[in-house]
Amino acid sequence: MQIANDKAVSVHYTLTNAAGEVLDSSAEGDALVYLHGQGSIIAGLEQALTGKVTGDKFKVTIAPKDGYGELMEDMIQVVDKSMFEGIDDLELGMQFHADVSQGPGIVTIVAINGDEITLDGNHPLAGETLNFDVEVVDVREASAEELAHGHVHGAGGHHH
Ligand code: ZN
């Protein structure tokens, strides 16, 4: 069966950056299971998987615009320490859920200068060219319930 919209797809993958460093891999654990065509994985990878079948192995290089986006200056902002009322020990690298210009997201403290705290709302992989090494493990029809929920159930998916 070919990968197309509304298929439940299982893949193993290794993600490396432009320098060849491994950023993420499913090799030691469960395959990634997702519902194709729902934008639940990055656009470049979803496009590359379309039409593939079980057993296919391929490599794909994905530009930031089809990955986690370009680094955006306006996602970096300086706020006053008083924004973090109740948190005494702010440290570099701490992450918070916040409403950023693109909607809800994660912001990371990237600088602390007295009472001025610099927050970066870019995805940690924004601006990175991504190299995926992919193996398609399984392709099946998604159930009506999975389609209604917008995610895959069972092994590697949602349990509820
Ligand atoms: Zn569900």
Side-chain angles (χ1 to χ4, degrees), residues 45-150:
L45 186 56
E46 193 158 58
Q47 281 164 20
L49 280 159
T50 300
K52 298 287 194 293
V53 299
T54 301
D56 278 355
K57 294 180 183 180
F58 65 96
K59 295 179 200 289
V60 59
T61 297
I62 297 171
K65 70 176 175 54
D66 295 318
Y68 292 99
E70 304 284 357
L71 266 180
M72 286 184 287
E73 288 293 328
D74 64 357
M75 297 284 277
I76 299 171
Q77 54 179 323
V78 178
V79 300
D80 191 86
K81 197 175 180 180
S82 62
M83 288 269 297
F84 297 92
E85 206 174 320
I87 304 173
D88 294 328
D89 45 356
L90 294 173
E91 290 175 16
L92 288 180
M94 285 178 85
Q95 295 190 315
F96 300 88
H97 287 273
D99 285 318
V100 292
S101 55
Q102 316 280 309
I106 305 258
V107 297
T108 305
I109 295 181
V110 293
I112 300 176
N113 220 326
D115 285 347
E116 290 185 347
I117 311 295
T118 304
L119 299 174
D120 186 349
N122 286 290
H123 187 282
L125 294 179
E128 296 264 14
T129 295
L130 307 171
N131 299 301
F132 280 91
D133 200 331
V134 183
E135 178 180 2
V136 180
V137 178
D138 188 50
V139 184
R140 65 169 170 80
E141 294 289 350
S143 69
E145 187 184 43
E146 287 172 328
L147 292 174
H149 287 200

Side-chain angles (χ1 to χ4, degrees), residues 35-42 46:
L35 194 54
H36 194 83
Q38 301 266 341
S40 53
I41 62 172
I42 58 170
E46 193 158 58

